[in-house]
Amino acid sequence: QVQVVESGGGLAQAGGSLRLSCAASGRPFRIDAMGWYRQAPGRQRELVAVMSSGGITNYADSVKGRFTISRENAKNTVYLQMNSLKPEDTAVYYCNAAVRLFVSSVVSDYWGQGTQVTVSS
């Protein structure tokens, strides 16, 4: 099985910065994509940023220009650098890894437990 662990959440002031980390580990696998999602109280879970194995990125409109997703392939790790934080960014942030086990062509999703990000006004 594949484990996904995120870290780096916490409390920040508006205009501040945080960096989230997410590492995937476990049985042999190949990553198709890794990304970040978030869910705020009373809202649906939404895509924040994703990066494919080919390096293609996609961001939610609400974070473009402020957040940056990056990776270290050797560590199966992705990061989310969050700058110019706003109170609206307050949410639980979840890491997702879309992987192929062994030589399988089937893509499976694995989720972390989430890390709380709170931005004060």
Side-chain angles (χ1 to χ4, degrees):
Q1 197 76 336
V2 175
Q3 267 63 54
V4 178
V5 180
E6 60 267 88
S7 61
L11 178 65
Q13 293 185 342
S17 298
L18 288 172
R19 192 179 79 153
L20 307 183
S21 300
C22 174
S25 63
R27 62 187 294 183
F29 61 87
R30 184 171 182 82
I31 295 175
D32 266 21
M34 293 185 71
W36 293 93
Y37 296 73
R38 68 185 181 187
Q39 187 164 23
R43 290 182 168 82
Q44 296 180 320
R45 185 174 297 187
E46 64 176 350
L47 170 72
V48 177
V50 294
M51 177 177 283
S52 73
S53 60
I56 299 173
T57 59
N58 189 34
Y59 295 91
D61 288 341
S62 60
V63 307
K64 287 181 179 177
R66 300 189 297 120
F67 292 7
T68 302
I69 188 169
S70 61
R71 69 185 180 189
E72 292 187 55
N73 289 342
K75 297 181 179 180
N76 292 135
T77 299
V78 294
Y79 305 93
L80 185 68
Q81 179 66 46
M82 304 185 293
N83 297 326
S84 301
L85 284 164
K86 303 176 180 179
E88 305 95 277
D89 296 319
T90 296
V92 177
Y93 284 69
Y94 298 91
C95 181
N96 173 265
V99 307
R100 302 171 189 263
L101 301 178
F102 303 106
V103 296
S104 175
S105 62
V106 177
V107 179
S108 299
D109 287 319
Y110 294 88
W111 293 88
Q113 293 299 305
T115 185
Q116 176 71 46
V117 171
T118 302
V119 183
S120 62
S121 60

